[in-house]
Amino acid sequence: MATLFQGLAAVTPLSPSNSIESNKLLFSSRRSLSERKGNNFVVRSDAKVNKVLKSGAARKHELLIPNAVATQGSSSVASASKPGHELLLFEALREGLEEEMERDPTVCVMGEDVGHYGGSYKVTRNLAEKFGDLRVLDTPIAENAFTGMGIGAAMTGLRPIIEGMNMGFLLLAFNQISNNCGMLHYTSGGQFKIPVVIRGPGGVGRQLGAEHSQRLESYFQSIPGIQMVACSTPYNAKGLMKAAIRSDNPVILFEHVLLYNLKERIPDEEYVLSLEEAEMVRPGEHVTILTYSRMRYHVMQAAKTLVNKGYDPEVIDIRSLKPFDLHTIGNSIKKTHRVLIVEECMRTGGIGASLTAAITENFHDYLDAPIICLSSQDVPTPYAGTLEEWTVVQPAQIVTAVEQLCQ
Amino acid sequence: MALSRLASSSTVGSNLIKPITAAISLHHRPISSDATTTLTIETSLPFTAHNCSPPSTSVTTTPSELLSFFRTMALMRRMEIAADSLYKSKLIRGFCHLYDGQEAVAVGMEASTTKKDCIITAYRDHCTFLGRGGTLIEVYSELMGRIDGCSKGKGGSMHFYKKDSGFYGGHGIVGAQVPLGCGLAFGQKYLKDESVTFALYGDGAANQGQLFEALNIAALWDLPAILVCENNHYGMGTAEWRAAKSPAYYKRGDYVPGLKVDGMDVLAVKQAVKFAKEHALQNGPLILEMDTYRYHGHSMSDPGSTYRTRDEISGVRQERDPIERVRKLILSHDIATEKELK
């Protein structure tokens, strides 16, 4: 990847700055420098992704999907000539976190290696230096205890963000999350609110092995009293992080290991997204594809192929895993009458299974074909790369499913 | 006996409360000695300390305080016995864990704490709730699933909470309240409250891993958390020597200091809690082990006699009953007459 940067730098005149600028040139390789004002390179969550994919600028995304390793981006760039600023997804999370911590002194972070180490995925880098050890707490390896602690702290009025280094580790804290986090507001008759945010990376990729590639959405979804959201782009990562922190409900924010290095341009001004809304990624007419997190990118890649074959898929990133945004989903189904769910969750009892049930209950009359749900295989994630790839849904399978649906 | 007049559930509350309040009102009469005279009383047993120097066994108190101890403990005792009858009449359902025998712990703790200090306990919480300022109406309404209950009837026996007086429950899962308690202490430290948290648990819960996790964290960050083990020697049906290799629960903190207290002596509890609060505000966590006893079984579905002898229960009742001790103290110091203390 480095040679690609250098090659471009040689071709076009470099403005005097650090090598970070070369990233921008990647986007502007097909255009002259004077045109940099246009936002054609923006990986916007609404609608423009196709455009970017067509230009060479999106090569990063194409590399991202079949291989496990995302490109290592550099830190964020402030550009005077374009609106907004570019950054990577983990930086977007950090920005959201930092803004909320500045805004409200009761917001604190606790987790393993979040402080001095800067976070295992750099989401909390430099925050401990800025806010102090008490607000960015390094905990010992005791998930049950520090999750319980976070919940107890929330009962006194703080707003902790509990980070699981990997979502799978939060299984050790399941009792605290289920019984205390979800239920205390109810069993106390409304006396306590638990405004915690539990976040962490999960998902398959990078050959981390079975225990570190878990998807816990399916386990947590039936806990009464909690909300679940999944972020997929830097834009919605920052917005959802801020919304989750501001919410008085316990929110579980699911991130994905492979998406941390996604780059996008996001607005400079403050924005907070709604926790219960789905995102329209690509409007269409023929079929509704519902997805979330990393599978969104597999779907968009499949969408390219589908468009070439003459289909017009509508892609919705559901974002809110609990509760489902049945308003957006319903409107889409009423338009297209065909539904495909693409998820990375396990087949049995996953988010897709619940979504299928919800759609069938509410929109059965609008469906022209049975709902197809593509999920990961019900197997422990293998270590070998080729095997791992085939436990998750691949774009080719998505294309086949759409063709089957639209017969 | 008032308890037998359980005609309809709507009048039960008033039927129960009338005799209890009638008994209390008898105590409002001028007492012979000045109400604020300081008395110094020796606790019956010394404190056993681990990694710290124990407080002195001379406890200062006043006649009015002793009388209030008596009243509150008697109220708690009768409340629990009434709950027993209500459960047997199927007006309280589900689980009901009674605290009679252990009243000295709740009352002694209240004597040395403020409402800004937090108390969190497990499911044997009726008396702790009362001590924190809850009313009998709230207790019985919650137990019987009525909206006037402290948790609006949605929690039940195991989920009593009173946020405005710092009572955080009321938890069903054994041991899960201890990390919550350390979180409360963390909140207090963060918000610079100058108050402490008492996280109560039992000898059964003392074997939970999350306790040690929480203790490590509390000691690491100097949190003002005091872990109080209410050792009634039985984890449901299992005696402590059958569940714990080392039943010296106050020593289990290792690097965390501990104190073993006679939990049936309300003055000893008061002294220990005062000591613990001062210690925690300066030096971080501490473990208090209250050596206490419950007369009832673990819960209403447990007769309490299959794993211990009736002689043992009546022996403790005769020799160590907390209410009797205070009664003797009051009588011996001529604070009230025997008739008034009935």
Side-chain angles (χ1 to χ4, degrees), chain A residues 254-297:
Chain A
F254 291 91
E255 302 155 12
H256 197 288
V257 278
L258 286 183
L259 299 183
Y260 278 130
N261 288 323
L262 275 183
K263 182 181 277 203
E264 187 182 3
R265 181 167 292 277
I266 66 170
D268 283 330
E269 53 282 349
E270 202 187 20
Y271 66 94
V272 180
L273 295 175
S274 164
L275 287 174
E276 290 105 14
E277 261 175 35
E279 192 178 311
M280 177 68 69
V281 184
R282 180 191 187 282
E285 295 290 325
H286 290 161
V287 59
T288 300
I289 306 184
L290 301 171
T291 180
Y292 66 93
S293 191
R294 180 195 168 206
M295 284 297 122
R296 167 192 175 134
Y297 297 96

Coordinates of all heavy atoms in Angstrom, one line a residue, chain A residues 254-297:
Chain A
F254 N -22.0 -2.2 19.6 CA -21.2 -3.3 19.0 C -20.4 -2.7 17.9 O -20.8 -2.1 17.0 CB -22.1 -4.3 18.4 CG -22.9 -5.2 19.4 CD1 -24.1 -4.8 19.8 CD2 -22.3 -6.3 20.0 CE1 -24.8 -5.5 20.8 CE2 -23.0 -7.0 20.9 CZ -24.2 -6.6 21.3
E255 N -19.1 -2.9 18.1 CA -18.1 -2.5 17.0 C -17.6 -3.7 16.4 O -17.8 -4.8 16.8 CB -17.0 -1.6 17.7 CG -17.6 -0.4 18.4 CD -16.6 0.1 19.5 OE1 -15.5 -0.4 19.5 OE2 -17.1 0.9 20.3
H256 N -16.8 -3.5 15.3 CA -16.3 -4.7 14.6 C -14.8 -4.5 14.4 O -14.3 -3.5 14.0 CB -17.0 -4.9 13.2 CG -16.8 -6.2 12.6 ND1 -15.6 -6.6 12.1 CD2 -17.6 -7.2 12.5 CE1 -15.7 -7.9 11.7 NE2 -17.0 -8.3 11.9
V257 N -14.1 -5.6 14.7 CA -12.6 -5.5 14.6 C -12.1 -5.1 13.3 O -11.1 -4.4 13.2 CB -11.9 -6.9 15.0 CG1 -11.8 -7.1 16.4 CG2 -12.6 -8.0 14.3
L258 N -12.8 -5.5 12.2 CA -12.2 -5.2 10.9 C -12.5 -3.7 10.4 O -12.0 -3.3 9.5 CB -12.7 -6.1 9.8 CG -12.1 -7.5 9.9 CD1 -12.7 -8.4 8.8 CD2 -10.6 -7.5 9.8
L259 N -13.4 -3.1 11.1 CA -13.9 -1.8 10.6 C -13.2 -0.6 11.2 O -13.4 0.5 10.9 CB -15.4 -1.6 10.8 CG -16.3 -2.7 10.1 CD1 -17.7 -2.3 10.4 CD2 -16.0 -2.7 8.7
Y260 N -12.3 -0.9 12.2 CA -11.7 0.3 12.9 C -10.9 1.2 12.0 O -10.7 2.4 12.4 CB -10.8 -0.3 14.0 CG -11.5 -0.6 15.3 CD1 -11.4 -1.8 15.9 CD2 -12.4 0.3 15.8 CE1 -12.1 -2.1 17.1 CE2 -13.2 0.0 17.0 CZ -13.0 -1.2 17.6 OH -13.6 -1.5 18.7
N261 N -10.4 0.7 10.9 CA -9.5 1.6 10.1 C -10.2 2.1 8.9 O -9.5 2.5 7.9 CB -8.2 0.8 9.7 CG -7.3 0.6 10.9 OD1 -7.2 1.5 11.7 ND2 -6.7 -0.5 11.0
L262 N -11.5 2.1 8.9 CA -12.2 2.7 7.8 C -12.1 4.2 7.8 O -12.2 4.8 8.9 CB -13.7 2.4 7.9 CG -14.2 1.1 7.4 CD1 -15.7 1.1 7.6 CD2 -13.9 1.0 5.9
K263 N -11.9 4.8 6.7 CA -11.7 6.2 6.7 C -12.9 6.9 6.0 O -13.5 6.4 5.1 CB -10.5 6.6 5.8 CG -10.2 8.1 5.8 CD -9.0 8.4 5.0 CE -7.7 8.2 5.8 NZ -6.6 9.0 5.3
E264 N -13.3 8.0 6.6 CA -14.4 8.8 6.0 C -14.3 10.2 6.4 O -13.6 10.6 7.4 CB -15.8 8.2 6.6 CG -17.0 8.8 6.0 CD -18.3 8.3 6.6 OE1 -18.2 7.5 7.5 OE2 -19.3 8.6 6.1
R265 N -15.0 11.1 5.7 CA -15.0 12.5 6.0 C -16.3 12.7 6.8 O -17.3 12.4 6.4 CB -15.0 13.3 4.8 CG -15.0 14.8 5.0 CD -14.7 15.6 3.7 NE -13.3 15.3 3.3 CZ -12.2 16.0 3.8 NH1 -12.4 17.0 4.6 NH2 -11.0 15.7 3.4
I266 N -16.1 13.3 8.0 CA -17.3 13.6 8.8 C -17.4 15.1 9.1 O -16.4 15.8 9.0 CB -17.3 12.8 10.1 CG1 -16.2 13.2 11.1 CG2 -17.2 11.3 9.9 CD1 -16.3 12.6 12.4
P267 N -18.6 15.6 9.4 CA -18.7 17.0 9.6 C -18.0 17.5 10.8 O -17.7 16.8 11.8 CB -20.2 17.2 9.9 CG -20.9 15.9 9.5 CD -19.8 14.8 9.6
D268 N -17.6 18.8 10.7 CA -16.9 19.4 11.9 C -17.9 19.7 13.0 O -17.5 19.7 14.1 CB -16.2 20.7 11.4 CG -14.9 20.5 10.7 OD1 -14.3 19.5 10.9 OD2 -14.6 21.3 9.8
E269 N -19.1 20.1 12.6 CA -20.0 20.5 13.6 C -20.5 19.3 14.4 O -20.4 18.1 13.9 CB -21.2 21.3 13.0 CG -21.9 20.7 11.9 CD -21.2 20.8 10.6 OE1 -20.2 21.6 10.5 OE2 -21.7 20.2 9.6
E270 N -21.0 19.5 15.6 CA -21.4 18.4 16.4 C -22.7 17.8 15.9 O -23.6 18.5 15.4 CB -21.7 19.0 17.8 CG -21.6 17.9 18.9 CD -22.1 18.4 20.2 OE1 -22.8 19.5 20.3 OE2 -21.7 17.8 21.2
Y271 N -22.8 16.5 16.0 CA -24.0 15.8 15.6 C -24.2 14.6 16.4 O -23.2 14.0 16.8 CB -24.0 15.4 14.1 CG -23.0 14.4 13.7 CD1 -23.3 13.0 13.7 CD2 -21.7 14.7 13.4 CE1 -22.4 12.1 13.4 CE2 -20.7 13.8 13.1 CZ -21.1 12.4 13.1 OH -20.1 11.5 12.8
V272 N -25.4 14.3 16.7 CA -25.8 13.1 17.5 C -26.8 12.3 16.7 O -27.8 12.9 16.3 CB -26.3 13.5 18.9 CG1 -26.6 12.2 19.7 CG2 -25.3 14.3 19.6
L273 N -26.6 11.0 16.5 CA -27.6 10.3 15.8 C -28.6 9.6 16.7 O -28.4 9.6 17.9 CB -26.9 9.2 15.0 CG -25.9 9.7 13.9 CD1 -25.2 8.5 13.3 CD2 -26.7 10.4 12.8
S274 N -29.7 9.2 16.1 CA -30.7 8.6 17.0 C -30.4 7.1 17.1 O -30.0 6.4 16.2 CB -32.1 8.7 16.3 OG -33.0 7.8 16.8
L275 N -30.6 6.6 18.4 CA -30.2 5.2 18.6 C -31.2 4.3 18.0 O -30.9 3.1 17.9 CB -30.2 5.0 20.2 CG -29.0 5.6 20.9 CD1 -29.2 5.4 22.4 CD2 -27.7 4.9 20.5
E276 N -32.4 4.7 17.7 CA -33.4 3.7 17.2 C -33.6 3.8 15.7 O -34.6 3.2 15.2 CB -34.7 4.0 17.9 CG -34.7 3.6 19.4 CD -34.6 4.8 20.3 OE1 -34.9 5.9 19.8 OE2 -34.3 4.7 21.5
E277 N -32.8 4.5 15.0 CA -33.1 4.7 13.6 C -32.2 3.8 12.7 O -31.0 3.7 13.0 CB -32.8 6.1 13.1 CG -34.1 7.0 13.1 CD -33.7 8.4 12.8 OE1 -32.7 8.7 12.0 OE2 -34.4 9.3 13.3
A278 N -32.7 3.3 11.6 CA -31.9 2.6 10.6 C -31.4 3.6 9.6 O -31.9 4.7 9.5 CB -32.7 1.5 10.0
E279 N -30.4 3.2 8.8 CA -29.8 4.1 7.9 C -30.0 3.6 6.5 O -29.8 2.5 6.2 CB -28.3 4.1 8.2 CG -27.5 5.2 7.5 CD -26.0 5.1 7.9 OE1 -25.7 5.0 9.1 OE2 -25.2 5.1 7.0
M280 N -30.5 4.5 5.6 CA -30.7 4.1 4.2 C -29.4 4.3 3.5 O -28.9 5.4 3.3 CB -31.8 5.1 3.6 CG -32.1 4.8 2.2 SD -32.9 3.2 1.9 CE -34.5 3.6 2.6
V281 N -28.8 3.2 3.1 CA -27.5 3.2 2.5 C -27.6 3.5 1.0 O -26.9 4.2 0.4 CB -26.7 1.9 2.7 CG1 -25.3 2.0 2.2 CG2 -26.7 1.7 4.2
R282 N -28.6 2.8 0.4 CA -28.8 2.9 -1.1 C -30.2 2.6 -1.4 O -30.7 1.5 -1.3 CB -27.9 1.8 -1.8 CG -28.0 1.9 -3.3 CD -27.4 0.7 -3.9 NE -27.4 0.8 -5.4 CZ -28.4 0.7 -6.2 NH1 -29.6 0.3 -5.7 NH2 -28.3 0.9 -7.5
P283 N -30.9 3.7 -1.8 CA -32.3 3.4 -2.1 C -32.5 2.6 -3.4 O -31.6 2.6 -4.3 CB -32.9 4.9 -2.4 CG -31.8 5.8 -2.0 CD -30.5 5.0 -2.0
G284 N -33.5 1.8 -3.5 CA -33.7 1.0 -4.6 C -35.1 0.6 -4.8 O -36.0 1.0 -4.0
E285 N -35.4 -0.4 -5.7 CA -36.8 -0.7 -6.0 C -37.1 -2.2 -6.0 O -38.2 -2.6 -5.7 CB -37.2 -0.2 -7.4 CG -37.1 1.3 -7.6 CD -38.3 2.0 -6.9 OE1 -39.4 1.4 -6.8 OE2 -38.0 3.1 -6.4
H286 N -36.1 -3.0 -6.2 CA -36.4 -4.4 -6.4 C -36.4 -5.3 -5.1 O -37.2 -6.2 -5.0 CB -35.4 -5.0 -7.4 CG -35.6 -4.5 -8.8 ND1 -34.6 -4.6 -9.7 CD2 -36.6 -3.9 -9.4 CE1 -35.0 -4.1 -10.8 NE2 -36.2 -3.6 -10.6
V287 N -35.5 -5.0 -4.2 CA -35.4 -5.9 -3.1 C -34.8 -5.1 -1.9 O -34.0 -4.2 -2.1 CB -34.5 -7.1 -3.4 CG1 -33.1 -6.7 -3.8 CG2 -34.4 -8.1 -2.2
T288 N -35.3 -5.4 -0.7 CA -34.8 -4.7 0.5 C -33.7 -5.6 1.1 O -34.0 -6.8 1.4 CB -35.9 -4.5 1.5 OG1 -36.9 -3.7 1.0 CG2 -35.4 -3.9 2.8
I289 N -32.5 -5.1 1.2 CA -31.5 -5.9 1.9 C -31.2 -5.2 3.2 O -30.8 -4.0 3.3 CB -30.2 -5.9 1.1 CG1 -30.5 -6.4 -0.4 CG2 -29.2 -6.8 1.8 CD1 -29.2 -6.6 -1.2
L290 N -31.4 -6.0 4.3 CA -31.2 -5.5 5.7 C -29.9 -6.0 6.2 O -29.7 -7.2 6.1 CB -32.3 -5.9 6.6 CG -33.7 -5.4 6.1 CD1 -34.8 -6.0 7.0 CD2 -33.8 -3.9 6.2
T291 N -29.1 -5.2 6.7 CA -27.8 -5.6 7.2 C -27.3 -4.7 8.3 O -27.9 -3.7 8.6 CB -26.8 -5.7 6.0 OG1 -25.5 -6.1 6.5 CG2 -26.6 -4.3 5.4
Y292 N -26.1 -5.1 8.9 CA -25.5 -4.2 9.9 C -24.1 -4.5 10.0 O -23.6 -5.6 9.6 CB -26.2 -4.3 11.2 CG -26.1 -5.6 11.9 CD1 -25.1 -5.8 12.9 CD2 -27.0 -6.6 11.7 CE1 -25.0 -7.0 13.5 CE2 -26.9 -7.8 12.4 CZ -25.9 -8.0 13.3 OH -25.8 -9.2 13.9
S293 N -23.3 -3.6 10.6 CA -21.9 -3.8 10.8 C -21.1 -4.2 9.6 O -21.4 -3.7 8.5 CB -21.7 -4.8 12.0 OG -20.4 -4.8 12.4
R294 N -20.2 -5.1 9.7 CA -19.3 -5.4 8.6 C -20.0 -5.9 7.3 O -19.6 -5.6 6.2 CB -18.3 -6.4 9.0 CG -17.3 -6.7 7.9 CD -16.5 -7.9 8.3 NE -15.8 -8.4 7.2 CZ -15.4 -9.7 7.0 NH1 -15.8 -10.5 8.0 NH2 -14.7 -10.1 6.0
M295 N -21.1 -6.6 7.5 CA -21.8 -7.2 6.4 C -22.3 -6.1 5.4 O -22.6 -6.4 4.3 CB -22.9 -8.1 6.8 CG -22.4 -9.4 7.4 SD -21.6 -10.4 6.1 CE -20.0 -10.6 6.8
R296 N -22.4 -4.9 5.9 CA -22.9 -3.8 5.1 C -21.9 -3.7 3.9 O -22.3 -3.4 2.7 CB -22.9 -2.5 5.9 CG -23.0 -1.2 5.1 CD -22.7 -0.1 6.0 NE -22.6 1.2 5.4 CZ -23.2 2.3 5.9 NH1 -23.9 2.2 6.9 NH2 -23.1 3.4 5.2
Y297 N -20.6 -3.9 4.1 CA -19.7 -3.7 3.0 C -19.7 -4.9 2.1 O -19.5 -4.7 0.8 CB -18.3 -3.5 3.6 CG -18.2 -2.2 4.4 CD1 -18.4 -2.2 5.8 CD2 -18.1 -1.0 3.8 CE1 -18.5 -1.0 6.5 CE2 -18.1 0.2 4.5 CZ -18.3 0.2 5.8 OH -18.4 1.3 6.5

